[in-house]
Amino acid sequence: MAELNYGLSEMALEIRNMVREFAETRVKPVRAQLDVDGTFPRDLLAELGKMDLMGLYIPEAYGGTFDGDSLCNIVAVEELSRVCLGVATSFAANGLGCDPILIGGSDAQKKKYLPAIATGEKLAAYALTEPNAGSDAGGIRTTATKKGDKYVLNGTKQWITNGGEADIYTVFAVTDKAKGARGVTAFIVEKGTPGFSFGKKENKMGIRASATRELIFEDCEVPAENVIGREGMGFIWAMKTFDVSRPGIAAQAIGLAQGALDEAVAYAKVREQFGRPVIANQGLSWMLADMATQIEAARALTYATVRTIDAGARDYSKFSAMCKVFASDMCMKVTTDAVQVLGGYGYMKEYPVEKMMRDAKILQIYEGTNQIQREVIARALNNEYARK
């Protein structure tokens, strides 16, 4: 298949091929059942750990394989998403849980927690969202009160990906209500800590293999040494995390849309109506052409954003938001069009595109709704043109 030359490194190309084969041989045969049962893909993640793929975003100094090329992780997420977004989300959420530690953690914290995550021995999760604090991350109500050399956490977190399955959680709580967003602090909380428990596993429309649970903190004591950075820095770490993680959501969208296009084209080539393959119908062929073009445009924007971040750019929030909003909106349209191409068959669970369409919706919602992404972009434009 013809592909654009994005100048991927030899390592990125090798990882892309490795994950593509893994997704086709190990994930594809079980994706439908994982979706039906809502089974967390722990065995598949363990295999990815043995393949040295769970630490693609963790520097070598802390047991990972990251050498400065974030596209290695992006192509891995893309290839997993091409086959099953539920599995890909479980994989990618591990990185999201690590990001605050990577961005603001001390050397001691990185040495303590990251090596086990890099090997897949332990999983991570990111705990920001609450019943009243989703898009408004500054509305956090979970509290952390300092008592001696510990903090006592009380409150709940909602819709946490890898919740209950992860071993290490980066949790955001209010340490000073009077300071608003500047009074939020980030903590590392380990599974099994007294006072830390889990609510029910959510029954979701899509990404059903991914575990989503409520986290409950009831007088949960966390050592002061588990504060990421220092008190009051939590909101900054949360926003910086989203800046680096949103291209990963775009990669999920690109992979999922590519998988839907693959299914739609394959079907259109063999399905006959009126004595010829439906791909010969101009209405459908133009639809497929638009799908392919939109996917490639999203891929180009996302890869360019990742390269910009790796190059050391200081301000890239606008571009991270752009690739997230553009790719996820594209993915929702492409998966919907894929169902349309397959017609009645596309609506049946025997064909994977109905699952792909269900999975796609979450990409417009999590890690900042697409309405919030447009706010981020518009605010950046306003500031840039004000300076001019």
Side-chain angles (χ1 to χ4, degrees), residues 238-293:
M239 296 303 103
K240 286 183 178 292
T241 292
F242 285 145
D243 283 346
V244 298
S245 69
R246 280 168 178 158
I249 303 300
Q252 290 182 322
I254 294 160
L256 176 54
Q258 185 67 60
L261 176 65
D262 293 345
E263 295 289 343
V265 173
Y267 176 88
K269 287 176 65 65
V270 298
R271 171 67 168 169
E272 291 193 359
Q273 291 283 277
F274 305 107
R276 59 179 184 171
V278 296
I279 199 169
N281 179 293
Q282 188 181 80
L284 285 180
S285 65
W286 284 17
M287 185 184 294
L288 294 168
D290 284 344
M291 292 160 70
T293 302

Side-chain angles (χ1 to χ4, degrees), residues 73-277:
N73 186 52
I74 289 294
V75 297
V77 170
E78 187 179 330
E79 290 302 325
L80 285 174
S81 303
R82 190 172 186 165
V83 172
C84 180
L85 189 65
V87 173
T89 297
S90 305
F91 172 83
N94 202 48
L96 181 66
C98 283
D99 280 339
I101 302 173
L102 288 165
I103 294 168
S106 66
D107 185 60
Q109 289 172 337
K110 292 174 183 177
K111 286 179 177 176
K112 180 177 180 179
Y113 293 106
L114 297 182
I117 296 172
T119 61
E121 178 187 343
K122 293 186 177 181
L123 297 177
Y126 180 87
L128 176 66
T129 303
E130 298 183 3
N132 295 298
S135 295
D136 177 16
I140 294 171
R141 294 185 180 177
T142 295
T143 61
T145 306
K146 191 170 185 182
K147 291 188 177 180
D149 60 352
K150 295 180 180 179
Y151 284 83
V152 181
L153 273 63
N154 281 285
T156 60
K157 295 293 179 179
Q158 187 178 44
W159 302 328
I160 304 306
T161 304
N162 284 359
E165 302 291 343
D167 307 280
I168 299 163
Y169 296 79
T170 48
V171 180
F172 298 82
V174 176
T175 47
D176 190 340
K177 291 182 180 179
K179 292 183 178 179
R182 294 178 181 273
V184 175
T185 301
F187 298 86
I188 301 170
V189 184
E190 298 180 44
K191 185 178 183 179
T193 301
F196 177 26
S197 61
F198 307 99
K200 68 181 178 69
K201 184 176 181 180
E202 300 292 350
N203 186 12
K204 306 187 297 293
M205 177 174 78
I207 59 166
R208 291 175 52 77
S210 167
T212 306
R213 283 191 178 87
E214 180 184 43
L215 311 187
I216 303 169
F217 300 96
E218 298 174 302
D219 293 329
C220 174
E221 294 188 352
V222 179
E225 66 188 33
N226 283 29
V227 170
I228 299 175
R230 65 178 187 272
E231 192 173 298
M233 294 291 289
F235 189 75
I236 294 173
W237 302 146
M239 296 303 103
K240 286 183 178 292
T241 292
F242 285 145
D243 283 346
V244 298
S245 69
R246 280 168 178 158
I249 303 300
Q252 290 182 322
I254 294 160
L256 176 54
Q258 185 67 60
L261 176 65
D262 293 345
E263 295 289 343
V265 173
Y267 176 88
K269 287 176 65 65
V270 298
R271 171 67 168 169
E272 291 193 359
Q273 291 283 277
F274 305 107
R276 59 179 184 171

Side-chain angles (χ1 to χ4, degrees), residues 43-73:
D43 291 347
L44 295 174
L45 296 180
E47 288 185 51
L48 288 168
K50 291 176 182 177
M51 295 164 66
D52 291 328
L53 294 170
M54 294 296 284
L56 289 174
Y57 36 80
I58 297 175
E60 295 176 357
Y62 303 109
T65 55
F66 178 66
D67 62 357
D69 184 4
S70 297
L71 282 173
C72 291
N73 186 52

Side-chain angles (χ1 to χ4, degrees), residues 31-32 35 263-264 266-267 270-271 338-339 342-358:
R31 68 179 174 188
D35 179 66
E263 295 289 343
Y267 176 88
V270 298
R271 171 67 168 169
V339 171
L342 270 69
Y345 291 103
Y347 202 69
M348 302 299 141
K349 287 189 179 293
E350 287 81 359
Y351 289 79
V353 290
E354 69 84 28
K355 172 187 180 299
M356 292 172 170
M357 182 179 172
R358 285 188 286 109

